Amino acid sequence: MSYIKTEDRGDIRIITLDNPPVNSLSYALSGELVPVVEAASADPKIKAVIFIGAGGQFSAGADINDFGTKPTAQTKTIRDVIAAVEKSEKTFVAAIEKMAFGGGFELALASDYRVALVDAKIGLPEIKIGLLPGAGGTQRLPRLIGAQDALDIMLKGRNVKMDEAKEKGIVDEVVTSNLLEAAIELANKGGKRRVSHKKPWLGKGLVDKALPFVVSQAHKLVPPEDNGGFAAHKLIDAVEASMELPFEFGLAREGRLFMELALSAPSAALRHVFFAERELSKIPDLPAAKPLDVKKAGVIGAGTMGTGIAITFAQAGIPVHVIDSNEAAVDRAKQTVMGMFMYQVQKGRMTQEEAWKLGQAVQFTDDYNELADADVVVEAVFENMDVKKEVFTKLDTIVKPEGILASNTSTLDIDEMASATKRPDKVIGLHFFVPANIMPLLEIVRGKDTSPETIATAFKLAKTLRKTAVLARNAFGFIGNRMIFDYSAAAGALAEEGVSPARIDAVAKKFGFPMGPFAMSDLSGVDVGWRILKERPDMAKSRSNVLNRLVEMNRLGQKTGAGYFTYDKNVGKGREPIPDPVVEALFAEEGKKAGIKPREVSDSEILERLLYALINRGAYLLEEGVAIRPGDIDIVYIYGYGFPPHRGGPMWYADEVGLKNVYDKVVAFGWQPAPLLKKLAESNGKFADLVTAKSPKGQGELTHA
Ligand code: NAD
């Protein structure tokens, strides 16, 4: 046997799950485990069985590599293992070290006793990939801790720590050491304490009669079924079944609901996102390189971005010096940094002492010499090439030769900045998103001379900073901002045809974006886009002149109380966009000047024009090699721009719509279709086909198959 080890201690059989790196309960492991459980059950010398994991951990659950494999009639799954446990007359104990997630936790739930090491975590995260716990979790957890608490854990897919687990009765015992000994003690107690035999209950202080209320509340709290809540509503149905049906019938209901989800579009999209994220660091043409350790960092510019980036470094334990010669900016930044850490104290996430220490990790100075021994310096000054080049030249003379010089530019040419230094191999783009300490995305931009070592260091740094990193090639706007540029242009064109910004935003929100294109522009600052276009007059032609008019009127967005919308301190804390007829009149005026006739536009056309603008540009970026894989673009849009994850990202969504349909519309809108889009549309292809024939999982070289 390769995935399981057994050992008898007297009349107790210890079954060790041994499937590195996370003891996943693969089909292969389950195939070995079922007969082992059956043999123990049939063995008169054996009184009890202990499940434990090898390598200091219990199990992370199902094996994601099995997702692409169709089970045959012979395939055994974790459900078969659990069925064998359920049938057995012996006592089962789960000894949990480090983690028991998904199917791993469901195996523990099917056992008679659960004992865990104090720093272990348990959870049922299936909802995150649009599924529900399908090996009895939705039936056993409510019986164990009550439906209300079980719903909270499963709907959030959150990790539960041992203090809570003990308090709620999820585990019987928590120990600080000698886990196996503690498990043996429980095994010796014997007896059958199957969760399946317990009577279902709603939760502490709740009478069974309250079930309809609890269920309807739960349905109200999750997103709508057709917009992000598909799995959540099914999960609630499964838990409701646990309260209403005998155990076996509830289990059957869970199985049916699970299958429905497994075959659903939202789950397919979420699984795509999950896999796409794992592909991100596979760079086809990058020779192996050893990343450098980043122990000390520098940031130039104490503005919105610089401050957020400095907080991000400090939180990851990397001390950082921030340079800005503008005193007012430094004062504001200091307040933001301290305010941020004190907020964490208020929320009970850290102690005063920890906050003070983190605050000390961010030092403000105007002396560049402090950066001499920095391993990486991120420049976040104004979006202006001359200013940036000056900063790079200066950094090049001061920072140690092996130090990496990075730019947080939104759109500017990394190679041109590199040309201002004698170390172009160590120059790279690190494009954070606002607010930098919260947004999970980091676009890493490689210049033509950026070395593999510098790229490898950037990826490692991203991990330390807890960011999801996507590699882009140097080009105007890289991936995200290049695409958002076309998206905003499409929104502006619609407004000039007489569609109100409020309606355009409402259509985007209905699709699942947290906000529409105009509210987004108001949030990041209308002048940000305007400044970018000042640097690139060639790109400005495709944009509505309303942008310039708003800047002339000092309508810069939320920060000035008005932009595409107006804002009122007393409405939604000054963040709620209020439609403004003045702006609609501006669009009408500019539209007229441009010879555009107002016309009726349907909601579906509004959506198509917004999304197909993203998709068509995405196809160009793939073709030009700015983005490596369609999945990389999807991740950028989901993590950086709020594209609804259950729709898989723009490129995944395009495949769902059908590329022929997208292409026909792109042509009908009068846009220049990307040659790649045309080619795929004509051959009935998909973006998802753009992975190598060498590896079904997309490793290795990318081919435009
Ligand atoms: P900001 O205007 O808030 O801050 C810029 C800061 O740089 C100011 O405090 C200014 O005093 C300082 N500065 C200017 N020249 C300097 C110099 N030579 N030396 C030291 N400090 C100098 O701007 P921001 O929004 O933080 O943007 C900074 C960079 O980040 C830009 O390149 C921008 O494109 C990029 N960016 C912005 C966003 C965003 O949404 N705001 C998002 C991603 C990237």
Side-chain angles (χ1 to χ4, degrees):
M1 269 184 294
S2 41
Y3 300 110
I4 283 161
K5 294 193 174 55
T6 60
E7 180 201 336
D8 288 352
R9 297 251 183 117
D11 52 7
I12 296 171
R13 180 153 302 164
I14 300 162
I15 299 180
T16 304
L17 313 171
D18 188 5
N19 185 14
V22 290
N23 297 333
S24 63
L25 303 172
S26 61
Y27 293 164
L29 183 145
S30 302
E32 286 185 7
L33 188 49
V34 170
V36 168
V37 170
E38 286 170 347
S41 304
D43 191 336
K45 294 191 298 298
I46 295 299
K47 181 176 95 182
V49 177
I50 293 173
F51 292 121
I52 195 163
Q57 56 196 340
F58 192 68
S59 167
D63 190 329
I64 46 156
N65 294 316
D66 286 342
F67 280 7
T69 341
K70 260 210 153 63
T72 66
Q74 282 75 43
T75 306
K76 296 285 182 231
T77 71
I78 183 62
R79 265 172 246 195
D80 299 301
V81 177
I82 288 175
V85 171
E86 190 70 47
K87 244 201 277 169
S88 174
E89 290 300 320
K90 314 285 176 179
T91 298
F92 285 80
V93 181
I96 303 168
E97 199 172 348
K98 194 164 172 186
M99 42 109 146
F101 293 139
F105 179 44
E106 288 175 295
L107 177 62
L109 277 174
S111 303
D112 298 279
Y113 294 96
R114 286 156 292 282
V115 54
L117 270 184
V118 66
D119 57 355
K121 285 183 194 131
I122 54 176
L124 295 168
E126 287 80 355
I127 191 92
K128 292 186 177 161
I129 46 171
L131 297 173
L132 52 75
T138 67
Q139 304 303 300
R140 287 190 177 89
L141 193 60
R143 280 179 165 77
L144 188 62
I145 63 171
Q148 173 123 316
D149 284 343
L151 275 172
D152 177 65
I153 290 172
M154 292 190 286
L155 285 174
K156 291 182 184 144
R158 66 184 173 90
N159 291 348
V160 178
K161 292 189 186 158
M162 283 311 111
D163 45 356
E164 182 185 348
K166 183 77 179 39
E167 198 248 325
K168 294 215 158 84
I170 301 174
V171 293
D172 301 287
E173 227 175 89
V174 176
V175 293
T176 49
S177 59
N178 300 335
L179 179 66
L180 185 59
E181 284 64 29
I184 290 172
E185 221 167 276
L186 288 170
N188 276 324
K189 271 196 191 169
K192 278 183 76 167
R193 300 166 76 247
R194 298 292 155 83
V195 177
S196 55
H197 298 179
K198 284 190 198 291
K199 191 178 155 322
W201 60 304
L202 258 188
K204 270 196 199 118
L206 288 166
V207 289
D208 289 357
K209 269 203 304 216
L211 178 65
F213 174 74
V214 169
V215 167
S216 72
Q217 279 303 103
H219 280 297
K220 270 187 217 151
L221 280 173
V222 298
E225 195 144 19
D226 62 352
N227 209 341
F230 193 64
H233 290 281
K234 296 261 182 294
L235 203 161
I236 298 166
D237 291 347
V239 171
E240 190 179 9
S242 79
M243 290 289 300
E244 289 180 328
L245 301 177
F247 183 76
E248 308 75 62
F249 290 101
L251 210 54
R253 175 76 60 84
E254 176 196 85
R256 280 201 302 281
L257 291 165
F258 178 88
M259 274 320 288
E260 251 183 84
L261 290 178
L263 299 173
S264 74
S267 176
L270 289 166
R271 278 174 288 166
H272 156 68
V273 175
F274 180 84
F275 283 113
E277 209 175 325
R278 292 163 56 98
E279 296 288 292
L280 293 173
S281 59
K282 294 178 187 150
I283 315 301
D285 65 342
L286 198 70
K290 203 169 165 298
L292 304 176
D293 268 347
V294 174
K295 297 205 185 81
K296 194 184 158 190
V299 169
I300 314 294
T304 313
M305 292 310 291
T307 309
I309 295 168
I311 293 173
T312 310
F313 274 112
Q315 279 177 336
I318 302 173
V320 55
H321 275 95
V322 184
I323 293 193
D324 199 314
S325 43
N326 180 328
E327 251 175 66
V330 171
D331 282 347
R332 243 193 336 264
K334 276 184 182 164
Q335 272 174 21
T336 309
V337 171
M338 258 352 257
M340 185 66 201
F341 295 140
M342 289 322 290
Y343 175 76
Q344 310 271 21
V345 176
Q346 269 170 22
K347 287 266 149 188
R349 293 190 201 127
M350 60 173 77
T351 61
Q352 287 250 323
E353 207 182 352
E354 283 165 332
W356 189 82
K357 245 175 131 177
L358 280 178
Q360 291 302 302
V362 185
Q363 295 287 335
F364 291 88
T365 173
D366 52 9
D367 181 6
Y368 271 73
N369 289 315
E370 295 281 3
L371 304 180
D373 59 346
D375 302 299
V376 60
V377 179
V378 184
E379 161 285 304
V381 301
F382 300 133
E383 187 77 342
N384 174 290
M385 185 52 92
D386 293 336
V387 180
K388 296 214 187 256
K389 276 169 92 169
E390 210 176 288
V391 168
F392 269 87
T393 305
K394 196 158 179 185
L395 288 173
D396 194 35
T397 58
I398 289 168
V399 178
K400 65 183 179 184
E402 62 275 27
I404 290 175
L405 307 184
S407 172
N408 180 49
T409 177
S410 307
T411 52
L412 297 176
D413 187 345
I414 298 292
D415 290 333
E416 197 175 338
M417 291 177 222
S419 73
T421 74
K422 292 192 191 69
R423 59 176 102 179
D425 57 317
K426 299 214 158 45
V427 174
I428 196 162
L430 291 180
H431 181 216
F432 290 83
F433 288 71
V434 67
N437 51 314
I438 293 179
M439 291 295 280
L441 183 69
L442 180 68
E443 248 182 319
I444 297 177
V445 187
R446 69 195 281 192
K448 67 177 171 31
D449 297 319
T450 311
S451 70
E453 191 185 57
T454 303
I455 297 172
T457 305
F459 268 97
K460 188 174 167 207
L461 175 64
K463 215 169 175 183
T464 312
L465 300 180
R466 301 211 182 155
K467 302 288 178 198
T468 300
V470 178
L471 188 68
R473 269 193 197 280
N474 183 31
F476 174 74
F478 322 121
I479 299 173
N481 282 337
R482 181 66 190 88
M483 285 167 68
I484 212 76
F485 185 86
D486 287 16
Y487 174 81
S488 305
L494 281 163
E496 288 191 339
E497 284 174 33
V499 190
S500 73
R503 185 166 160 226
I504 297 167
D505 273 22
V507 169
K509 272 183 87 166
K510 185 149 181 280
F511 179 75
F513 281 102
M515 65 185 86
F518 294 106
M520 189 170 72
S521 179
D522 279 353
L523 178 67
S524 56
V526 175
D527 54 323
V528 172
W530 174 82
R531 229 176 276 278
I532 288 169
L533 286 178
K534 261 183 63 178
E535 292 281 305
R536 288 295 297 258
D538 55 320
M539 306 287 296
K541 278 177 259 146
S542 62
R543 292 297 285 264
S544 166
N545 193 39
V546 170
L547 179 67
N548 297 323
R549 303 273 306 265
L550 290 177
V551 174
E552 280 162 21
M553 294 159 80
N554 198 36
R555 293 183 66 125
L556 306 184
Q558 277 191 26
K559 59 188 170 190
T560 56
Y564 287 101
F565 299 106
T566 50
Y567 298 87
D568 179 336
K569 271 205 307 289
N570 302 315
V571 183
K573 293 186 183 157
R575 300 212 178 111
E576 174 98 14
I578 304 165
D580 188 343
V582 171
V583 176
E584 285 167 40
L586 278 182
F587 273 116
E589 211 181 302
E590 291 299 328
K592 200 168 168 197
K593 269 196 235 157
I596 295 162
K597 281 206 180 77
R599 63 181 191 95
E600 279 300 315
V601 184
S602 67
D603 280 3
S604 58
E605 184 183 330
I606 295 173
L607 187 65
E608 284 164 356
R609 279 173 58 181
L610 295 177
L611 297 181
Y612 298 179
L614 289 178
I615 295 162
N616 192 38
R617 182 55 56 188
Y620 274 113
L621 296 180
L622 283 171
E623 194 148 40
E624 293 158 1
V626 176
I628 299 174
R629 286 159 289 247
D632 291 26
I633 295 178
D634 289 335
I635 295 290
V636 166
Y637 263 77
I638 290 169
Y639 287 173
Y641 299 86
F643 196 98
H646 60 277
R647 300 196 194 272
M651 308 317 269
W652 177 266
Y653 178 79
D655 280 351
E656 291 281 294
V657 174
L659 296 190
K660 175 87 172 68
N661 294 328
V662 176
Y663 171 76
D664 288 346
K665 286 284 167 67
V666 165
V667 173
F669 296 151
W671 302 340
Q672 186 66 42
L676 175 63
L677 177 63
K678 181 167 193 272
K679 190 171 121 191
L680 289 173
E682 282 169 353
S683 60
N684 213 5
K686 285 174 167 251
F687 288 122
D689 299 336
L690 300 181
V691 286
T692 171
K694 270 189 234 157
S695 150
K697 287 197 212 87
Q699 281 159 283
E701 239 175 325
L702 185 80
T703 59
H704 288 168

